[in-house]
Amino acid sequence: MGFDANSLVLIVVLALVFWTVGRKYEELRTRASRELRLSTCLDEAADSGPLAPGAHPEMHDAAPPCAVAGNVTGDLRRIAAMDGSFDADRFLQGARLVYEAIVLAFAKGDRELLADLLTADVYRTFVHAIALREARQHRVSTRFVCLNDARIEEAAVIDGQVQIVVTFDSEIVAATRDAANAVVDGNPAAVTAMADRWTFVKGLRANGLWRLAATETSRGEPEQPATPQSAETCG
């Protein structure tokens, strides 16, 4: 069986697309695995000793100003006073990255990454859903169009554990297909607005990962596709 020139071009283009998407996810996966491990500028500099007055530890990316609900600023200051390593700007920067990583990891069934970023209860819920999907021979394709907003809505210390609630407003393209490649959920040709409210937790003054402890999601009506962007910020 032969291929004409157009077919060969199409095969090459598709191969490049899958390679690019796969590489992007692997890069995101690597960054997400480390981003919330300490999630503060001060913790990342701990190995090099105390900072000189006025000095700032090196950061991988410039963090956007921290977006918080008006009544949360005082709570964040109290957390920082109790835990000198906490930095709200860096936390929110990491949360934005990890949000995308978790959504894509769930779609891909990446249990290893999910185990690093979820609490035990949430992990069991996610893995159960993945197992049901696999038993039905369903597969999910998810693409971020953009992340419109990420905002800290609540912050508290409860029983020695810091709990921070972040809301994410994003736009994604997602679809679930069965073994025959028929779409059984979602729409691969439409953008859907998502509103997520996620709770992250970490022990007070404890070195280690922030983990996702609770999720709430609402989904808007699918719209016409938008121009693909990275999931940094629309606008």
Side-chain angles (χ1 to χ4, degrees):
M1 178 179 176
F3 294 96
D4 59 26
N6 289 334
S7 296
L8 290 173
V9 169
L10 179 60
I11 290 171
V12 171
V13 169
L14 288 175
L16 287 173
V17 168
F18 284 118
W19 179 80
T20 301
V21 171
R23 189 178 69 168
K24 180 180 183 297
Y25 175 71
E26 286 305 315
E27 291 173 352
L28 176 67
R29 189 182 189 282
T30 299
R31 292 180 63 195
S33 293
R34 69 172 184 245
E35 185 64 32
L36 288 189
R37 186 159 301 280
L38 298 177
S39 192
T40 65
C41 303
L42 295 176
D43 279 339
E44 287 194 348
D47 291 339
S48 59
L51 295 174
H56 298 278
E58 181 181 356
M59 295 176 63
H60 296 292
D61 301 295
C66 188
V68 302
N71 60 338
V72 181
T73 303
D75 294 327
L76 293 173
R77 287 175 178 166
R78 281 188 286 275
I79 292 171
M82 289 185 285
D83 184 349
S85 69
F86 177 73
D87 181 272
D89 286 331
R90 185 59 192 267
F91 166 82
L92 191 59
Q93 179 192 19
R96 294 168 66 93
L97 175 66
V98 169
Y99 170 72
E100 182 181 2
I102 289 176
V103 171
L104 294 180
F106 176 71
K108 291 178 175 291
D110 188 341
R111 292 170 172 82
E112 181 181 0
L113 181 58
L114 293 174
D116 281 342
L117 301 177
L118 311 179
T119 62
D121 287 343
V122 176
Y123 177 75
R124 282 192 291 268
T125 300
F126 275 44
V127 168
H128 178 67
I130 291 171
L132 287 177
R133 191 174 71 207
E134 292 172 344
R136 295 168 181 159
Q137 295 185 297
H138 288 179
R139 68 184 190 282
V140 176
S141 62
T142 299
R143 176 175 64 82
F144 269 84
V145 177
C146 62
L147 178 56
N148 292 301
D149 187 45
R151 180 178 298 272
I152 297 176
E153 295 288 346
E154 298 177 19
V157 177
I158 301 175
D159 296 330
Q161 191 173 60
V162 183
Q163 299 186 9
I164 298 182
V165 177
V166 182
T167 57
F168 301 94
D169 294 324
S170 62
E171 297 177 13
I172 67 171
V173 177
T176 302
R177 297 178 183 272
D178 63 16
N181 207 38
V183 176
V184 295
D185 187 40
N187 187 337
V191 174
T192 299
M194 304 293 292
D196 289 286
R197 180 182 172 89
W198 286 12
T199 301
F200 295 93
V201 299
K202 183 175 80 72
L204 185 63
R205 292 185 293 272
N207 290 336
L209 281 171
W210 287 88
R211 295 182 184 271
L212 178 62
T215 66
E216 299 176 36
T217 300
S218 61
R219 179 185 301 183
E221 292 297 322
E223 301 175 357
Q224 291 301 314
T227 301
Q229 304 176 43
S230 67
E232 293 295 332
T233 305
C234 297

